[in-house]
Amino acid sequence: MNILDYLKDNILILDGGMGSFLQAKGLQPGERPEPWNISHPDVVTAIHRSYFDAGSNAVITNTFGACGLRYSAEELQKIAEAAVRNARTAAAESASPQPKWVGLDVGPCGKLLKPFGDLDFEAAVEAFAVFIRAGAAQKPDFIFIETMSDCYETKAAVLAAKENADLPIFASNAYSENGRLLTGADPAVMTAMLEGLGVSAMGMNCSLGPDALLPVAEQYLEKTSLPVIFKANAGLPRLENGQTVYDITPAAFAGYVEEAVRKGVRIVGGCCGTTPETIAAIAKRVRNLKPVTVNVQKQTVISSYSMALPFGAQPVLIGERINPTGKKRLKQAILDGDLSYLLSEAAGQEEKGVHAIDVNVGVPGIDEPAVLKRAVEEIQAVTNLPLQLDSSDPAALEAAMRIYNGKPLVNSVNGKQSSMDAVFPLIRKYGGVCVALTLDDGGIPMDARSRADIAAKIVREAEKYGIAKEDLVFDTLAMPVSASGEAANVALDALSLIRSELGCRTSLGVSNISFGLPSRGDINSAFFLRALDRGLSAAIINPYADDMMRAYYAYRALAGLDESCGDYIRYCEAHPKAANPAAGQPAKDAAQDAAANGSSPLQNAIVKGFRQQAGELAKELLRTLEPVDLINTEIIPALNRVGEGFEKGRIYLPQLLMSAEAATSAFDEVKAVMAARPLQKDAKKKCTVVVATVQGDIHDIGKNIAKLLLESYGFTVRDLGKDVPPETILEEVLRLKAPVAGLSALMTTTVPAMQQTIDLLKKEAPWCRVVTGGAVLTKDFADSIGSDCYAKDAMDTVRYAQTVDGEPA
Ligand code: B12
């Protein structure tokens, strides 16, 4: 029986942990498990068999780390052959009467994707593809993509599976305690993207125990009707006598699994720390349960890497500013390849309150697929708002949809057969909500009925591709009311017909309506209000147009969508009419942006993660500002703001990384200025200072500042980098007979490593004075771990090193 058919009426029981078994059989710490498929097939087969015997319906091959970044294609071929064979042999040998399947396991590739890491998206797809090709040839029953802690990497793996195999795809993510992936996605984000990509099942595994993952599973069950996977760890691992132990017993684990199944989960199993006993306990409790039918009303929803945006609850505002039509400066920026202008437009619109951003780079004479792809890559790195990918060129749409990190809004398809033939295959492959224009080969009908008929035709054609009507948003085309007095009524009536007859969401480019008329803002906002009142779901607008934003907030207040009119009041306070003659004018650059939120342009650029701009602004400021002052008054306060946002859960790791990069590019300018200067006047004495960020900690901006300042005062600095073990620091201090060592730690979790380093230095290199710094340290704490000096900033280090210099080594 096909595994998907089985899932319709049964709970599918997967296997439990593999790694700890292999270790018990002799797999060494740090040794890769995948080659054991070849070197120890009997061991691997026996583990699979023990799971089948315990009641698993499916086991996952021992190929978690098998990808092109770790193995050659030939090695992967051999691993895949042996791994699937071992699982099949186990299925054949097991006496269990259950139907049995084999899933090809695909784990994370071990690198973060660009722009947050250094792995190119296509390189990630290929790294997965090379293994999936080899694996698919061995004819497993399904592909199990698992333990993914990043939305983008999940997409890369799913695409690789879609393009290189014709098998059901199960996609499972690893959630942190805050209910999000490492890079910020929550279940709403993942369900939106994965449904769009057309996987067969989705859910969660690893990271936490079943108790902590239950709420995550519930969120899946609220968002998707696809089978949900629940494959938790046996609790949080802890170390006991050098052994990793897990606290949740098989019986307790199975209790949580039963609860999950009763809520609607269909695919269960265990991850780290679970054993055949766990699976046997699960089988006992859920084998005979009938799957609970979860009837989730399919939503129209788009997403970014960390935010899902449903249509329907509130009108969606789509910022129109990144569209070169009629915008000379943007056109020029696109022709010049000046993406920083596009980035500031994106950030500006976000600040003005749009919910999604349109990206259109259609300027004649450019390579539109390449430019749109680059623009989307850059913009999605600095905003977490979902994007509307906007082009009339299907090749450009495809280039952008492929690398988009989430489920995009795609603008647009229309009722012409040629348009649907070109765009629907893209939606089918990459996922997305498609804006559909109610025009066809006959042009734009001048009556509402005909426009609604075109919409119905588009829905029927989309169905042929398996695209649900919820993934279509109809634009009923606002034509200039100056040309036809009925233009507004026709668009609005069509909108109502589509809503009532097809149950579809709608979108309008509102400002077309006023073309050719004076005081266009008045017409636009009046039309916008009429459309909102008819149930318009989304509008493409200029968020700097005060009258439109005012109309939007007024509508929400009047429609009962703004409790106590709070948003309306806040908007009006922030945009007083009389005092704001420039309302309606877009902010021109980061300076205006920054002034609006009370910080400096450089701080703003760092907070937003604009690398290029941060470098340029720092260079400019350094003409008048001392490097140290720039660090203290610009870079550090900006990073503190970012850190605060991170701590409060307002921003996620990717943004933290982008800000760190922007800070580094500002810091590079500081370095360039310092390097060009003669040494400080009192820089005669020069002893050697060894500096390092301690083991387990990769924060190095503060340490690099300390190093730079020390060097500028004439010290010789040996920089050991970040994540440095105590032994390495000691070795270098001994080798150089260094009188001073500077240690940095920025996390509470890495302060113990600082203590270990100090203890080691005190014991083996007692002459060496240790100066410590880093955001989480305090003087009291530094004293308590035996630090000779606590440096609250880099200048403190210099002062201290000056006093130490010359002491006997
Ligand atoms: C930038 C940043 C990052 C960047 C680091 C990039 C890089 N190359 O350094 C990235 C994105 C990689 C990052 C990753 C993480 N980060 Co971080 N990060 C920050 C952030 C926002 C700023 C740090 C910074 O550079 N500040 C500016 C510098 C100049 O300040 P400073 O280091 O304090 O340095 C000054 C002094 O302390 C002193 N000094 C510092 N070092 C030294 C050394 C010597 C020898 C001397 C003498 C003086 C000295 O002089 C410096 C100049 O005046 C902080 C928040 C914050 N406000 O600090 C969080 C923060 C440190 N990060 C945090 C976390 C949790 C993480 C992650 C675990 C996130 C994750 N889930 O993966 C990872 C850590 C991975 C790891 N194993 O280390 C937490 C730590 C929480 C805690 N209490 O333990 C913080 C506090 C954010 C928060 N509020 O939650 N992070």
Tab-separated table of all heavy atoms in Angstrom, residues 54-89:
chain	number	residue	atom	x	y	z
A	54	ALA	N	9.398	-3.396	17.169
A	54	ALA	CA	8.679	-2.682	18.240
A	54	ALA	C	7.365	-2.086	17.755
A	54	ALA	O	6.563	-1.614	18.558
A	54	ALA	CB	9.568	-1.577	18.806
A	55	GLY	N	7.173	-2.063	16.437
A	55	GLY	CA	5.890	-1.556	15.929
A	55	GLY	C	5.976	-0.399	14.956
A	55	GLY	O	4.950	0.150	14.558
A	56	SER	N	7.189	-0.005	14.563
A	56	SER	CA	7.299	1.091	13.585
A	56	SER	C	6.730	0.653	12.241
A	56	SER	O	6.943	-0.478	11.804
A	56	SER	CB	8.765	1.491	13.377
A	56	SER	OG	9.284	2.080	14.532
A	57	ASN	N	6.032	1.586	11.584
A	57	ASN	CA	5.592	1.328	10.214
A	57	ASN	C	6.627	1.800	9.208
A	57	ASN	O	6.588	1.415	8.040
A	57	ASN	CB	4.304	2.102	9.893
A	57	ASN	CG	3.181	1.708	10.798
A	57	ASN	OD1	2.714	2.506	11.589
A	57	ASN	ND2	2.786	0.454	10.695
A	58	ALA	N	7.469	2.691	9.672
A	58	ALA	CA	8.470	3.205	8.738
A	58	ALA	C	9.738	3.502	9.510
A	58	ALA	O	9.673	3.992	10.647
A	58	ALA	CB	7.961	4.478	8.070
A	59	VAL	N	10.871	3.188	8.906
A	59	VAL	CA	12.142	3.621	9.497
A	59	VAL	C	12.809	4.585	8.522
A	59	VAL	O	12.531	4.584	7.331
A	59	VAL	CB	13.090	2.437	9.814
A	59	VAL	CG1	12.458	1.479	10.795
A	59	VAL	CG2	13.540	1.734	8.544
A	60	ILE	N	13.675	5.388	9.097
A	60	ILE	CA	14.365	6.414	8.323
A	60	ILE	C	15.807	5.962	8.169
A	60	ILE	O	16.432	5.557	9.153
A	60	ILE	CB	14.342	7.765	9.090
A	60	ILE	CG1	12.955	8.067	9.659
A	60	ILE	CG2	14.851	8.895	8.247
A	60	ILE	CD1	11.882	8.256	8.659
A	61	THR	N	16.335	6.058	6.964
A	61	THR	CA	17.691	5.541	6.715
A	61	THR	C	18.742	6.272	7.565
A	61	THR	O	18.530	7.419	7.970
A	61	THR	CB	18.065	5.705	5.233
A	61	THR	OG1	17.876	7.082	4.873
A	61	THR	CG2	17.222	4.821	4.339
A	62	ASN	N	19.850	5.626	7.749
A	62	ASN	CA	20.940	6.202	8.545
A	62	ASN	C	21.770	7.151	7.659
A	62	ASN	O	22.932	6.890	7.361
A	62	ASN	CB	21.802	5.043	9.089
A	62	ASN	CG	23.035	5.536	9.815
A	62	ASN	OD1	23.015	6.591	10.437
A	62	ASN	ND2	24.128	4.775	9.718
A	63	THR	N	21.118	8.222	7.226
A	63	THR	CA	21.787	9.118	6.275
A	63	THR	C	21.625	10.585	6.667
A	63	THR	O	21.661	11.468	5.813
A	63	THR	CB	21.194	8.905	4.851
A	63	THR	OG1	19.750	9.021	4.923
A	63	THR	CG2	21.552	7.570	4.281
A	64	PHE	N	21.477	10.831	7.966
A	64	PHE	CA	21.201	12.186	8.443
A	64	PHE	C	22.197	13.219	7.899
A	64	PHE	O	21.830	14.317	7.503
A	64	PHE	CB	21.240	12.176	9.978
A	64	PHE	CG	20.916	13.481	10.626
A	64	PHE	CD1	19.599	13.896	10.745
A	64	PHE	CD2	21.914	14.303	11.131
A	64	PHE	CE1	19.279	15.105	11.358
A	64	PHE	CE2	21.613	15.512	11.741
A	64	PHE	CZ	20.296	15.910	11.852
A	65	GLY	N	23.462	12.869	7.886
A	65	GLY	CA	24.485	13.849	7.466
A	65	GLY	C	24.934	13.679	6.023
A	65	GLY	O	25.942	14.271	5.606
A	66	ALA	N	24.182	12.872	5.260
A	66	ALA	CA	24.642	12.579	3.897
A	66	ALA	C	24.278	13.715	2.954
A	66	ALA	O	23.166	13.778	2.458
A	66	ALA	CB	24.002	11.272	3.420
A	67	CYS	N	25.198	14.614	2.735
A	67	CYS	CA	24.937	15.654	1.731
A	67	CYS	C	26.237	16.014	1.033
A	67	CYS	O	27.326	15.633	1.472
A	67	CYS	CB	24.274	16.883	2.356
A	67	CYS	SG	25.419	18.004	3.121
A	68	GLY	N	26.086	16.751	-0.047
A	68	GLY	CA	27.228	17.059	-0.909
A	68	GLY	C	28.282	17.942	-0.250
A	68	GLY	O	29.370	18.105	-0.807
A	69	LEU	N	27.980	18.511	0.919
A	69	LEU	CA	29.015	19.317	1.574
A	69	LEU	C	29.940	18.436	2.414
A	69	LEU	O	31.006	18.871	2.832
A	69	LEU	CB	28.381	20.370	2.492
A	69	LEU	CG	27.486	21.407	1.828
A	69	LEU	CD1	27.041	22.456	2.840
A	69	LEU	CD2	28.210	22.086	0.677
A	70	ARG	N	29.523	17.220	2.662
A	70	ARG	CA	30.339	16.344	3.515
A	70	ARG	C	30.924	15.166	2.760
A	70	ARG	O	31.925	14.596	3.177
A	70	ARG	CB	29.503	15.806	4.683
A	70	ARG	CG	28.976	16.870	5.624
A	70	ARG	CD	28.412	16.232	6.883
A	70	ARG	NE	27.794	17.218	7.744
A	70	ARG	CZ	26.507	17.543	7.710
A	70	ARG	NH1	25.691	16.945	6.857
A	70	ARG	NH2	26.019	18.460	8.526
A	71	TYR	N	30.278	14.776	1.670
A	71	TYR	CA	30.716	13.575	0.950
A	71	TYR	C	30.762	13.845	-0.549
A	71	TYR	O	30.027	14.689	-1.067
A	71	TYR	CB	29.736	12.417	1.188
A	71	TYR	CG	29.642	11.945	2.616
A	71	TYR	CD1	28.647	12.429	3.464
A	71	TYR	CD2	30.537	11.000	3.122
A	71	TYR	CE1	28.541	11.991	4.769
A	71	TYR	CE2	30.439	10.561	4.440
A	71	TYR	CZ	29.438	11.057	5.261
A	71	TYR	OH	29.349	10.625	6.553
A	72	SER	N	31.584	13.058	-1.260
A	72	SER	CA	31.612	13.151	-2.724
A	72	SER	C	30.396	12.414	-3.280
A	72	SER	O	29.758	11.611	-2.577
A	72	SER	CB	32.885	12.509	-3.265
A	72	SER	OG	32.801	11.105	-3.069
A	73	ALA	N	30.110	12.654	-4.571
A	73	ALA	CA	28.957	12.006	-5.200
A	73	ALA	C	29.122	10.486	-5.166
A	73	ALA	O	28.146	9.753	-4.939
A	73	ALA	CB	28.798	12.496	-6.634
A	74	GLU	N	30.343	10.015	-5.350
A	74	GLU	CA	30.563	8.560	-5.347
A	74	GLU	C	30.290	7.988	-3.959
A	74	GLU	O	29.663	6.944	-3.800
A	74	GLU	CB	32.015	8.192	-5.738
A	74	GLU	CG	32.440	8.607	-7.133
A	74	GLU	CD	32.662	10.103	-7.254
A	74	GLU	OE1	33.376	10.660	-6.401
A	74	GLU	OE2	32.095	10.719	-8.172
A	75	GLU	N	30.782	8.714	-2.940
A	75	GLU	CA	30.541	8.233	-1.568
A	75	GLU	C	29.048	8.209	-1.263
A	75	GLU	O	28.534	7.253	-0.669
A	75	GLU	CB	31.248	9.149	-0.550
A	75	GLU	CG	32.752	8.996	-0.539
A	75	GLU	CD	33.456	10.093	0.260
A	75	GLU	OE1	32.943	11.234	0.314
A	75	GLU	OE2	34.527	9.828	0.799
A	76	LEU	N	28.359	9.273	-1.715
A	76	LEU	CA	26.922	9.352	-1.434
A	76	LEU	C	26.176	8.216	-2.115
A	76	LEU	O	25.209	7.670	-1.571
A	76	LEU	CB	26.362	10.709	-1.873
A	76	LEU	CG	26.816	11.886	-1.003
A	76	LEU	CD1	26.334	13.208	-1.592
A	76	LEU	CD2	26.303	11.750	0.437
A	77	GLN	N	26.636	7.879	-3.315
A	77	GLN	CA	26.023	6.780	-4.058
A	77	GLN	C	26.104	5.488	-3.228
A	77	GLN	O	25.114	4.795	-3.023
A	77	GLN	CB	26.794	6.617	-5.384
A	77	GLN	CG	26.199	5.616	-6.348
A	77	GLN	CD	24.829	6.093	-6.846
A	77	GLN	OE1	24.655	7.272	-7.125
A	77	GLN	NE2	23.875	5.180	-6.895
A	78	LYS	N	27.296	5.251	-2.705
A	78	LYS	CA	27.499	4.011	-1.936
A	78	LYS	C	26.710	4.047	-0.627
A	78	LYS	O	26.117	3.048	-0.212
A	78	LYS	CB	28.992	3.831	-1.628
A	78	LYS	CG	29.779	3.476	-2.882
A	78	LYS	CD	31.220	3.175	-2.525
A	78	LYS	CE	32.021	2.998	-3.801
A	78	LYS	NZ	33.320	3.643	-3.774
A	79	ILE	N	26.719	5.213	0.016
A	79	ILE	CA	25.981	5.337	1.281
A	79	ILE	C	24.491	5.098	1.036
A	79	ILE	O	23.830	4.349	1.769
A	79	ILE	CB	26.212	6.729	1.916
A	79	ILE	CG1	27.651	6.811	2.444
A	79	ILE	CG2	25.215	7.023	3.027
A	79	ILE	CD1	28.075	8.199	2.901
A	80	ALA	N	23.968	5.721	-0.030
A	80	ALA	CA	22.530	5.599	-0.311
A	80	ALA	C	22.168	4.143	-0.587
A	80	ALA	O	21.179	3.631	-0.049
A	80	ALA	CB	22.154	6.484	-1.495
A	81	GLU	N	22.970	3.502	-1.405
A	81	GLU	CA	22.695	2.090	-1.745
A	81	GLU	C	22.625	1.244	-0.476
A	81	GLU	O	21.667	0.511	-0.242
A	81	GLU	CB	23.826	1.524	-2.618
A	81	GLU	CG	23.636	1.780	-4.097
A	81	GLU	CD	24.911	1.428	-4.883
A	81	GLU	OE1	25.694	0.545	-4.428
A	81	GLU	OE2	25.109	2.068	-5.921
A	82	ALA	N	23.689	1.392	0.338
A	82	ALA	CA	23.770	0.550	1.537
A	82	ALA	C	22.671	0.910	2.535
A	82	ALA	O	22.052	0.026	3.154
A	82	ALA	CB	25.141	0.710	2.185
A	83	ALA	N	22.401	2.215	2.676
A	83	ALA	CA	21.442	2.652	3.701
A	83	ALA	C	20.038	2.146	3.386
A	83	ALA	O	19.344	1.635	4.271
A	83	ALA	CB	21.451	4.180	3.796
A	84	VAL	N	19.612	2.297	2.137
A	84	VAL	CA	18.265	1.840	1.793
A	84	VAL	C	18.211	0.306	1.875
A	84	VAL	O	17.244	-0.265	2.381
A	84	VAL	CB	17.831	2.356	0.397
A	84	VAL	CG1	16.468	1.806	0.004
A	84	VAL	CG2	17.793	3.897	0.381
A	85	ARG	N	19.301	-0.330	1.432
A	85	ARG	CA	19.325	-1.802	1.494
A	85	ARG	C	19.186	-2.270	2.948
A	85	ARG	O	18.417	-3.191	3.251
A	85	ARG	CB	20.635	-2.319	0.882
A	85	ARG	CG	20.649	-3.835	0.681
A	85	ARG	CD	21.846	-4.311	-0.136
A	85	ARG	NE	23.104	-3.809	0.386
A	85	ARG	CZ	23.978	-3.075	-0.306
A	85	ARG	NH1	23.716	-2.730	-1.564
A	85	ARG	NH2	25.103	-2.661	0.231
A	86	ASN	N	19.919	-1.634	3.852
A	86	ASN	CA	19.851	-2.050	5.263
A	86	ASN	C	18.424	-1.928	5.806
A	86	ASN	O	17.928	-2.819	6.500
A	86	ASN	CB	20.783	-1.188	6.130
A	86	ASN	CG	22.243	-1.429	5.798
A	86	ASN	OD1	22.600	-2.486	5.252
A	86	ASN	ND2	23.091	-0.455	6.097
A	87	ALA	N	17.783	-0.811	5.462
A	87	ALA	CA	16.421	-0.607	5.971
A	87	ALA	C	15.463	-1.629	5.350
A	87	ALA	O	14.585	-2.170	6.037
A	87	ALA	CB	15.969	0.826	5.672
A	88	ARG	N	15.645	-1.891	4.059
A	88	ARG	CA	14.768	-2.875	3.395
A	88	ARG	C	14.992	-4.282	3.972
A	88	ARG	O	14.048	-5.039	4.183
A	88	ARG	CB	15.058	-2.923	1.893
A	88	ARG	CG	14.588	-1.697	1.151
A	88	ARG	CD	13.122	-1.847	0.746
A	88	ARG	NE	12.705	-0.706	-0.042
A	88	ARG	CZ	11.630	0.030	0.173
A	88	ARG	NH1	10.821	-0.261	1.176
A	88	ARG	NH2	11.324	1.036	-0.601
A	89	THR	N	16.252	-4.611	4.212
A	89	THR	CA	16.551	-5.930	4.782
A	89	THR	C	15.865	-6.076	6.133
A	89	THR	O	15.250	-7.098	6.450
A	89	THR	CB	18.081	-6.107	4.957
A	89	THR	OG1	18.678	-5.836	3.709
A	89	THR	CG2	18.456	-7.498	5.424
